[in-house]
PDB file of all heavy atoms in Angstrom:
ATOM      1  N   THR A 299       2.073   9.208   7.829  1.00 98.00           N
ATOM      2  CA  THR A 299       3.343   9.201   7.087  1.00 98.00           C
ATOM      3  C   THR A 299       4.001  10.571   7.009  1.00 98.00           C
ATOM      4  O   THR A 299       3.331  11.566   6.730  1.00 98.00           O
ATOM      5  CB  THR A 299       3.074   8.697   5.644  1.00 98.00           C
ATOM      6  OG1 THR A 299       2.412   7.433   5.718  1.00 98.00           O
ATOM      7  CG2 THR A 299       4.363   8.547   4.847  1.00 98.00           C
ATOM      8  N   THR A 300       5.309  10.594   7.211  1.00 98.00           N
ATOM      9  CA  THR A 300       6.110  11.806   6.998  1.00 98.00           C
ATOM     10  C   THR A 300       7.341  11.399   6.208  1.00 98.00           C
ATOM     11  O   THR A 300       8.145  10.591   6.678  1.00 98.00           O
ATOM     12  CB  THR A 300       6.588  12.402   8.352  1.00 98.00           C
ATOM     13  OG1 THR A 300       5.441  12.703   9.141  1.00 98.00           O
ATOM     14  CG2 THR A 300       7.409  13.670   8.140  1.00 98.00           C
ATOM     15  N   PHE A 301       7.471  11.943   5.015  1.00 97.00           N
ATOM     16  CA  PHE A 301       8.647  11.646   4.177  1.00 97.00           C
ATOM     17  C   PHE A 301       9.415  12.958   4.062  1.00 97.00           C
ATOM     18  O   PHE A 301       8.891  13.939   3.540  1.00 97.00           O
ATOM     19  CB  PHE A 301       8.168  11.160   2.808  1.00 97.00           C
ATOM     20  CG  PHE A 301       9.256  10.594   1.928  1.00 97.00           C
ATOM     21  CD1 PHE A 301      10.325   9.872   2.445  1.00 97.00           C
ATOM     22  CD2 PHE A 301       9.200  10.774   0.550  1.00 97.00           C
ATOM     23  CE1 PHE A 301      11.304   9.334   1.626  1.00 97.00           C
ATOM     24  CE2 PHE A 301      10.175  10.236  -0.285  1.00 97.00           C
ATOM     25  CZ  PHE A 301      11.227   9.517   0.258  1.00 97.00           C
ATOM     26  N   PHE A 302      10.627  12.979   4.602  1.00 96.00           N
ATOM     27  CA  PHE A 302      11.303  14.275   4.692  1.00 96.00           C
ATOM     28  C   PHE A 302      12.752  14.222   4.225  1.00 96.00           C
ATOM     29  O   PHE A 302      13.376  13.161   4.177  1.00 96.00           O
ATOM     30  CB  PHE A 302      11.247  14.798   6.133  1.00 96.00           C
ATOM     31  CG  PHE A 302      12.067  13.997   7.122  1.00 96.00           C
ATOM     32  CD1 PHE A 302      13.382  14.355   7.424  1.00 96.00           C
ATOM     33  CD2 PHE A 302      11.525  12.889   7.759  1.00 96.00           C
ATOM     34  CE1 PHE A 302      14.141  13.620   8.331  1.00 96.00           C
ATOM     35  CE2 PHE A 302      12.276  12.142   8.668  1.00 96.00           C
ATOM     36  CZ  PHE A 302      13.591  12.513   8.950  1.00 96.00           C
ATOM     37  N   THR A 303      13.244  15.408   3.905  1.00 94.00           N
ATOM     38  CA  THR A 303      14.665  15.572   3.613  1.00 94.00           C
ATOM     39  C   THR A 303      15.173  16.692   4.513  1.00 94.00           C
ATOM     40  O   THR A 303      14.497  17.709   4.680  1.00 94.00           O
ATOM     41  CB  THR A 303      14.868  15.964   2.123  1.00 94.00           C
ATOM     42  OG1 THR A 303      14.480  14.856   1.308  1.00 94.00           O
ATOM     43  CG2 THR A 303      16.325  16.291   1.827  1.00 94.00           C
ATOM     44  N   LEU A 304      16.318  16.438   5.099  1.00 93.00           N
ATOM     45  CA  LEU A 304      16.964  17.459   5.911  1.00 93.00           C
ATOM     46  C   LEU A 304      18.207  17.859   5.127  1.00 93.00           C
ATOM     47  O   LEU A 304      19.131  17.044   4.981  1.00 93.00           O
ATOM     48  CB  LEU A 304      17.329  16.840   7.263  1.00 93.00           C
ATOM     49  CG  LEU A 304      17.696  17.776   8.394  1.00 93.00           C
ATOM     50  CD1 LEU A 304      16.672  18.858   8.616  1.00 93.00           C
ATOM     51  CD2 LEU A 304      17.882  16.962   9.667  1.00 93.00           C
ATOM     52  N   PRO A 305      18.238  19.065   4.552  1.00 91.00           N
ATOM     53  CA  PRO A 305      19.386  19.435   3.712  1.00 91.00           C
ATOM     54  C   PRO A 305      20.709  19.168   4.425  1.00 91.00           C
ATOM     55  O   PRO A 305      20.869  19.484   5.609  1.00 91.00           O
ATOM     56  CB  PRO A 305      19.168  20.930   3.465  1.00 91.00           C
ATOM     57  CG  PRO A 305      17.682  21.106   3.574  1.00 91.00           C
ATOM     58  CD  PRO A 305      17.236  20.137   4.629  1.00 91.00           C
ATOM     59  N   GLY A 306      21.619  18.521   3.699  1.00 89.00           N
ATOM     60  CA  GLY A 306      22.937  18.235   4.281  1.00 89.00           C
ATOM     61  C   GLY A 306      23.004  16.881   4.966  1.00 89.00           C
ATOM     62  O   GLY A 306      24.074  16.436   5.373  1.00 89.00           O
ATOM     63  N   LEU A 307      21.868  16.221   5.124  1.00 91.00           N
ATOM     64  CA  LEU A 307      21.858  14.899   5.777  1.00 91.00           C
ATOM     65  C   LEU A 307      21.513  13.838   4.736  1.00 91.00           C
ATOM     66  O   LEU A 307      20.397  13.817   4.207  1.00 91.00           O
ATOM     67  CB  LEU A 307      20.818  14.864   6.901  1.00 91.00           C
ATOM     68  CG  LEU A 307      20.644  13.511   7.605  1.00 91.00           C
ATOM     69  CD1 LEU A 307      21.871  13.161   8.441  1.00 91.00           C
ATOM     70  CD2 LEU A 307      19.404  13.515   8.495  1.00 91.00           C
ATOM     71  N   LYS A 308      22.473  12.972   4.464  1.00 90.00           N
ATOM     72  CA  LYS A 308      22.221  11.899   3.499  1.00 90.00           C
ATOM     73  C   LYS A 308      21.267  10.883   4.126  1.00 90.00           C
ATOM     74  O   LYS A 308      21.385  10.572   5.313  1.00 90.00           O
ATOM     75  CB  LYS A 308      23.539  11.180   3.185  1.00 90.00           C
ATOM     76  CG  LYS A 308      24.273  11.720   2.001  1.00 90.00           C
ATOM     77  CD  LYS A 308      25.481  10.869   1.829  1.00 90.00           C
ATOM     78  CE  LYS A 308      25.935  10.727   0.428  1.00 90.00           C
ATOM     79  NZ  LYS A 308      27.207  10.027   0.394  1.00 90.00           N
ATOM     80  N   ALA A 309      20.365  10.337   3.295  1.00 90.00           N
ATOM     81  CA  ALA A 309      19.364   9.412   3.828  1.00 90.00           C
ATOM     82  C   ALA A 309      20.004   8.221   4.551  1.00 90.00           C
ATOM     83  O   ALA A 309      19.603   7.875   5.670  1.00 90.00           O
ATOM     84  CB  ALA A 309      18.444   8.937   2.717  1.00 90.00           C
ATOM     85  N   GLU A 310      21.031   7.632   3.939  1.00 90.00           N
ATOM     86  CA  GLU A 310      21.662   6.452   4.582  1.00 90.00           C
ATOM     87  C   GLU A 310      22.250   6.835   5.937  1.00 90.00           C
ATOM     88  O   GLU A 310      22.094   6.124   6.920  1.00 90.00           O
ATOM     89  CB  GLU A 310      22.838   5.907   3.762  1.00 90.00           C
ATOM     90  CG  GLU A 310      22.495   5.259   2.476  1.00 90.00           C
ATOM     91  CD  GLU A 310      22.784   6.173   1.309  1.00 90.00           C
ATOM     92  OE1 GLU A 310      22.294   7.326   1.335  1.00 90.00           O
ATOM     93  OE2 GLU A 310      23.482   5.749   0.377  1.00 90.00           O
ATOM     94  N   THR A 311      22.918   7.996   5.955  1.00 92.00           N
ATOM     95  CA  THR A 311      23.559   8.445   7.190  1.00 92.00           C
ATOM     96  C   THR A 311      22.490   8.692   8.248  1.00 92.00           C
ATOM     97  O   THR A 311      22.634   8.302   9.410  1.00 92.00           O
ATOM     98  CB  THR A 311      24.316   9.774   6.925  1.00 92.00           C
ATOM     99  OG1 THR A 311      24.965   9.673   5.675  1.00 92.00           O
ATOM    100  CG2 THR A 311      25.299  10.086   8.014  1.00 92.00           C
ATOM    101  N   GLY A 312      21.397   9.336   7.820  1.00 94.00           N
ATOM    102  CA  GLY A 312      20.316   9.648   8.743  1.00 94.00           C
ATOM    103  C   GLY A 312      19.686   8.390   9.299  1.00 94.00           C
ATOM    104  O   GLY A 312      19.423   8.277  10.493  1.00 94.00           O
TER     105      GLY A 312
END
Side-chain angles (χ1 to χ4, degrees):
T299 306
T300 301
F301 190 35
F302 68 93
T303 293
L304 195 52
L307 176 69
K308 268 182 149 173
E310 291 103 307
T311 319

